Amino acid sequence: MNARIAVIPGDGIGPEVTKEAVNVLKVIEEKFAHKFEFIELDAGGCAIDKYGECLPKETVNECKKSDAVLLGAVGGWQWDNLPGNQRPEMALLGLRKELNLYANLRPAMLFPSLANACPLKPEIIQGGLDLLVVRELTGGIYFGEKGIKNTDMGKTAYDIEQYSETEIRRIAHTAFSMAKVRNKSVTSIDKANVLESSRLWRSVVTEVAKEYPEIKLSHLYVDNAAMQLIRNPKQFDVILTSNIFGDILSDEASQIVGSIGMLPSASLADGNFGMYEPVHGSAPDIAGQNKANPMAAILSAAMMLSYTFNLTNEANAIETAVNSVLEKGYRTADLFCNEENTTLLGTKAISSVLCSLL
Ligand code: IPM
Ligand code: MG
């Protein structure tokens, strides 16, 4: 297969981890006789420094010409005082919107050898954890009208949460299709006891569910869901939720599977196009120190192989290699807790062990 992959390293630990993900893809290329062309592009804080804007038009155009995008992370303290609409994070939101990446898949799986990194009691996670957060990514409060006005209470800022039936319907279809090939259960998470947008969400999801009689649908309020994720995470298979609730719950899910350093994501448009990125951010505190866990970026590359290119064997090979690295006791700092038979490794070293196991 020939593929054109746009690579956006971004800021902080982004460049370190994407570099390792690309290295892994190069090994796959060789082993499985594919031809990947990598095009490196700027976005985020580094683009602000270079061009004065976080998302140059060129970056968007090149992404559109590619089959898939691999992204590291954006943001950092250097740009924290910029006005909201000029922050590096706007690059991410801009890419999601411009590329119509409305479906965000964030699988949270507990690798057996990381059971000790999970903060929950062993009996709660007995038998493992494997859930998928399906987060709506191009609507809701992230993209609603926002602003600041003067009122008799002083300056008043607002961000509007709004969802259309079309937006809810398409992400619901994504969640149900995912559940079909998993454990056939969808939990839709909203705040329908308070929010009008959540009530529409709930009714559209219930409507769509009728097309998937084999899938069990339940609804939870987001506050309860946050609690249930800790109390009994095994009750979840596919979690379907809005942009902002998905942002929050996926970080929570990441901790119960050990570390956010292990969580990959896929952001999908209609068709096969997708952008793949680790869920962790730019982690400026450890940037450039060869400490970051590259697994989330590497697993994101695996998701790319499977979702955009349909290369399931290749994707499985990467996941198996990640598992072997962990089984052999290799850990980056985020996962290292001085257990017997474990070795602390840096970003580059753990990735080269992984490549050698592929
Ligand atoms: C994420 C991040 C982003 C989000 C930020 C960096 C804009 O937290 O992908 O989860 O809120 O979507
Ligand atoms: Mg987040």
Side-chain angles (χ1 to χ4, degrees):
M1 133 155 332
N2 287 325
R4 186 182 202 268
I5 301 171
V7 179
I8 305 179
D11 308 317
I13 59 172
E16 297 162 67
V17 298
T18 31
K19 186 166 176 225
E20 301 313 329
V22 167
N23 283 342
V24 168
L25 285 172
K26 285 180 176 162
V27 176
I28 292 288
E29 200 182 10
E30 184 130 314
K31 291 246 143 103
F32 292 83
H34 300 301
K35 187 83 207 80
F36 299 145
E37 183 194 353
F38 298 99
I39 294 99
E40 198 167 306
L41 304 168
D42 294 307
C46 59
I48 296 178
D49 293 348
K50 257 193 186 164
Y51 314 102
E53 52 177 339
C54 65
L55 184 59
K57 195 97 218 109
E58 153 101 356
T59 296
V60 176
N61 291 341
E62 288 299 318
C63 286
K64 285 184 177 164
K65 281 196 254 162
S66 305
D67 300 304
V69 182
L70 180 69
L71 186 138
V74 298
W77 50 264
Q78 301 97 306
W79 307 284
D80 271 351
N81 292 322
L82 290 172
N85 59 358
Q86 291 169 29
R87 294 177 59 103
E89 288 80 1
M90 289 311 291
L92 207 48
L93 300 197
L95 282 165
R96 289 170 181 172
K97 198 71 177 179
E98 290 272 350
L99 304 171
N100 198 24
L101 305 168
Y102 65 85
N104 186 209
L105 312 183
R106 299 186 159 187
M109 232 182 75
L110 182 64
F111 285 88
S113 43
L114 291 185
N116 277 339
C118 171
L120 302 181
K121 289 193 186 133
E123 57 267 32
I124 297 181
I125 56 162
Q126 184 97 55
L129 283 175
D130 178 5
L131 59 91
L132 174 69
V133 178
V134 175
R135 170 188 179 196
E136 199 290 327
L137 204 59
T138 53
I141 196 167
Y142 275 51
F143 293 95
E145 192 190 321
K146 57 179 85 241
I148 292 196
K149 57 187 176 192
N150 287 313
T151 68
D152 55 11
M153 308 272 279
K155 263 199 239 161
T156 302
Y158 59 96
D159 302 86
I160 294 180
E161 168 83 339
Q162 65 177 39
Y163 269 111
S164 66
E165 292 176 300
T166 304
E167 288 172 315
I168 303 166
R169 198 172 294 121
R170 63 185 183 181
I171 192 68
H173 278 294
T174 306
F176 287 108
S177 323
M178 292 292 148
K180 250 176 146 171
V181 292
R182 294 175 48 97
N183 289 323
K184 312 217 163 20
S185 145
V186 170
T187 310
S188 174
I189 293 172
D190 60 36
K191 188 69 187 172
N193 49 348
V194 178
L195 303 177
E196 203 56 49
S197 54
S198 279
R199 285 190 276 273
L200 182 65
W201 179 280
R202 196 174 273 223
S203 84
V204 174
V205 170
T206 306
E207 237 355 269
V208 173
K210 292 184 185 144
E211 296 174 46
Y212 301 85
E214 71 277 39
I215 310 290
K216 179 178 155 289
L217 169 67
S218 40
H219 303 275
L220 281 184
Y221 298 138
V222 63
D223 47 350
N224 185 16
M227 184 263 280
Q228 295 294 339
L229 257 176
I230 300 295
R231 197 186 70 88
N232 176 19
K234 285 198 334 197
Q235 69 186 283
F236 297 108
D237 175 24
V238 173
I239 286 178
L240 161 62
T241 194
S242 65
N243 205 340
I244 190 157
F245 296 159
D247 180 42
I248 298 165
L249 294 174
S250 60
D251 267 33
E252 190 184 349
S254 77
Q255 266 315 295
I256 64 180
V257 297
S259 163
I260 199 165
M262 294 300 299
L263 241 71
S265 80
S267 305
L268 306 175
D270 284 322
N272 291 329
F273 186 81
M275 181 163 90
Y276 299 84
E277 58 174 305
V279 172
H280 62 67
S282 56
D285 54 322
I286 56 163
Q289 298 170 37
N290 192 35
K291 279 187 185 161
N293 185 349
M295 299 295 187
I298 292 169
L299 289 168
S300 300
M303 287 187 90
M304 173 191 291
L305 295 177
S306 121
Y307 287 99
T308 292
F309 302 124
N310 261 312
L311 299 174
T312 328
N313 290 336
E314 289 80 341
N316 288 342
I318 296 179
E319 280 158 20
T320 307
V322 167
N323 197 37
S324 313
V325 166
L326 298 171
E327 295 273 312
K328 288 180 188 301
Y330 297 112
R331 304 277 186 274
T332 37
D334 55 318
L335 298 171
F336 188 69
C337 36
N338 236 326
E339 273 172 89
E340 225 179 297
N341 301 320
T342 58
T343 314
L344 177 64
L345 290 183
T347 313
K348 291 180 194 162
I350 204 160
S351 160
S352 54
V353 172
L354 194 151
C355 287
S356 71
L357 291 170
L358 264 172

